[in-house]
Amino acid sequence: MKNIQLKAYLLLLTIGLSACSKGQNEIGKPSPSLTAEVSFSASDANKAFDDFTRIFYNTDQKLFYSKSDRKDVAVGWPQAVFWDITMDAYKRTNNPVYLKQINDMYQGAANAYSNFDWKAVKEVNDFIYDDMMWWIISLSRSYEITKEQKYLDAAVAGFKYVWDNSHDPVDGGMRWSWKVEGKNACINYPTVIAGVTLYNITKDSGYLDKAKNIYKWSHDNLFEASTGRVADHKVGQNPAGYEDYTYNQGTCIGAATLLYKATGEDAYLADAKLAADYTKNKMCDTKGILPAEGDWNEQGVLKAIFAQYIQLLIKDAGQNQYKEWIYSNISLAWSNRDQSRGIMFRDYKVACPTGLVQSYEASSGVAFMQLFDPIVK
């Protein structure tokens, strides 16, 4: 997750991270649909995923392109997010075409990323620790769906590799990179998620112990207990660096919800709700619409990650008070899709551009629609 997380450190060093210009890809006019009735169907959810795949999926490399011009495949860690979306589409529909794509994407990723030999993934593919952890989570989920042992073997080996190289046994927490000092939310909360997921699969209590350990460090160092705000990073003995990102809020929600489900401890659920409340009340606009992250960079996938974990809080932990908020975002994103291509945009409040669009920024609406049941009024 180099482009996103290096931003935090460059800002810390007062060096700005510039965004590329879109040129002809100007954002559309504000949509009149903010007051539209909340509605989308199962066939809409199918279409959203199928169109996203049609526009962005490379059937030869079995990975997704970075842009709608279909020239280059996306960078490594968002491919894991796209794989999650594919898994969610299959779980929603049981469509064998989507199951084939799950297995195909594993092969495409193995071909691209050193066959998940994690030392080579670091040294050859230049993945930092959080890049790896997104894949470890996705590999664990793919095993839950397919029961293919190779997926679990890769996840187990990956978790061990990252833990052995990233965990700080003295001061606690997970280092996000070997290149830049710091312990970021993007490695710590996903480590909790991966740990609990592997515990649920293997029943090895060591994974749960590690997850609880990292959650405590994260709670003490990256979580503002009075508000539910999640810090992006902590560097050395400096105060935590607070920059609001939906994926950090989301992985905190997911980590806390999974630990609540695994342990029954109400404190975890309280944290998850507090993080969700902060996202809704402080990061959204006055109508509750999520921020338009990803101005021509990988941050376009952040809300797709958030979708995964707010769904967990709502469905698995029964927190239905957040449903109306999420459905409003889904409906708005869908109503503002590119009517010709069927793809959505990172900014739900405007019409999707008709020119060049990144897969990153087109992904989050698709993710939400696979994760949440249709609602038709």
Side-chain angles (χ1 to χ4, degrees):
M1 195 172 295
K2 304 169 188 66
N3 290 351
I4 294 174
Q5 294 305 327
L6 281 174
K7 179 182 178 184
Y9 293 100
L10 292 172
L11 284 171
L12 196 63
L13 298 172
T14 68
I15 301 174
L17 181 69
S18 63
C20 297
S21 171
K22 295 186 183 62
Q24 77 277 16
N25 188 40
E26 294 299 325
I27 296 173
K29 295 179 179 179
S31 168
S33 57
L34 280 170
T35 58
E37 190 173 35
V38 175
S39 170
F40 72 97
S41 67
S43 62
D44 291 336
N46 294 343
K47 178 173 171 52
F49 179 76
D50 291 342
D51 285 342
F52 180 74
T53 300
R54 178 177 55 81
I55 297 297
F56 294 111
Y57 186 58
N58 182 323
T59 55
D60 293 326
Q61 291 184 259
K62 299 179 174 62
L63 294 170
F64 281 81
Y65 287 106
S66 62
K67 295 184 282 292
S68 55
D69 61 10
R70 299 174 66 86
K71 291 182 179 178
D72 302 303
V73 295
V75 298
W77 72 270
Q79 298 282 0
V81 179
F82 301 153
W83 199 25
D84 284 339
I85 295 171
T86 304
M87 287 185 246
D88 292 328
Y90 174 70
K91 288 165 68 175
R92 183 180 59 81
T93 64
N94 291 315
N95 186 334
V97 172
Y98 302 161
L99 179 60
K100 181 179 184 300
Q101 187 168 319
I102 291 170
N103 291 311
D104 284 350
M105 286 190 69
Y106 167 81
Q107 193 56 58
N111 292 341
Y113 313 131
S114 303
N115 203 33
F116 293 112
D117 175 340
W118 295 100
K119 186 172 186 291
V121 169
K122 172 184 175 181
E123 296 175 355
V124 176
N125 299 106
D126 200 34
F127 278 27
I128 56 178
Y129 297 127
D130 74 299
D131 295 342
M132 297 181 197
M133 195 56 73
W134 298 112
W135 278 102
I136 292 161
I137 293 169
S138 299
L139 285 160
S140 303
R141 289 178 179 152
S142 66
Y143 172 78
E144 291 179 312
I145 291 171
T146 67
K147 304 306 179 188
E148 287 275 355
Q149 188 64 36
K150 63 186 177 183
Y151 299 156
L152 180 58
D153 290 345
V156 167
F159 190 91
K160 183 179 187 305
Y161 183 84
V162 174
W163 183 270
D164 290 348
N165 288 275
S166 169
H167 178 241
D168 182 348
V170 177
D171 295 323
M174 305 289 288
R175 304 177 184 91
W176 77 290
S177 174
W178 58 89
K179 301 176 182 181
V180 181
E181 184 186 1
K183 299 170 183 175
N184 287 30
C186 71
I187 179 62
N188 281 278
Y189 286 116
T191 296
V192 177
I193 291 167
V196 180
T197 304
L198 286 170
Y199 166 72
N200 290 338
I201 293 169
T202 67
K203 306 308 177 188
D204 181 343
S205 61
Y207 288 117
L208 183 60
D209 291 341
K210 288 180 171 67
K212 291 164 71 174
N213 175 295
I214 298 304
Y215 186 88
K216 183 180 187 308
W217 183 91
S218 302
H219 186 274
D220 292 346
N221 290 275
L222 297 172
F223 187 72
E224 192 171 73
S226 61
T227 66
R229 188 185 191 192
V230 178
D232 181 68
H233 56 273
K234 182 170 174 58
V235 181
Q237 298 305 311
N238 295 315
Y242 281 90
E243 297 173 50
D244 288 344
Y245 293 122
T246 56
Y247 80 142
N248 288 338
Q249 296 296 132
T251 53
C252 173
I253 291 166
T257 302
L258 284 165
L259 282 171
Y260 167 69
K261 295 289 289 183
T263 67
E265 295 181 22
D266 290 338
Y268 292 125
L269 180 59
D271 287 349
K273 291 194 292 184
L274 200 61
D277 290 340
Y278 181 86
T279 311
K280 181 176 184 288
N281 298 326
K282 299 297 183 180
M283 292 175 61
C284 294
D285 70 8
T286 57
K287 296 181 182 293
I289 304 305
L290 289 157
E293 299 160 307
D295 185 12
W296 212 238
N297 59 46
E298 298 156 32
Q299 291 185 23
V301 304
L302 301 192
K303 291 195 292 295
I305 295 169
F306 176 78
Q308 193 75 233
Y309 300 113
I310 192 66
Q311 183 260 3
L312 197 68
L313 178 62
I314 293 169
K315 285 194 172 182
D316 285 20
Q319 300 303 305
N320 292 322
Q321 67 268 32
Y322 302 111
K323 287 179 70 172
E324 183 178 355
W325 165 43
I326 296 303
Y327 277 117
S328 294
N329 277 271
I330 297 171
S331 183
L332 186 59
W334 180 241
S335 67
N336 275 324
R337 68 191 181 279
D338 179 337
Q339 295 292 331
S340 175
R341 294 179 292 181
I343 57 175
M344 290 173 277
F345 190 51
R346 64 181 176 85
D347 187 343
Y348 300 165
K349 295 188 288 186
V350 301
C352 179
T354 57
L356 197 64
V357 173
Q358 287 189 321
S359 56
Y360 313 128
E361 61 190 349
S363 66
S364 65
V366 185
F368 273 116
M369 291 178 75
Q370 307 317 303
L371 288 161
F372 286 85
D373 296 331
I375 180 169
V376 179
K377 292 184 179 179

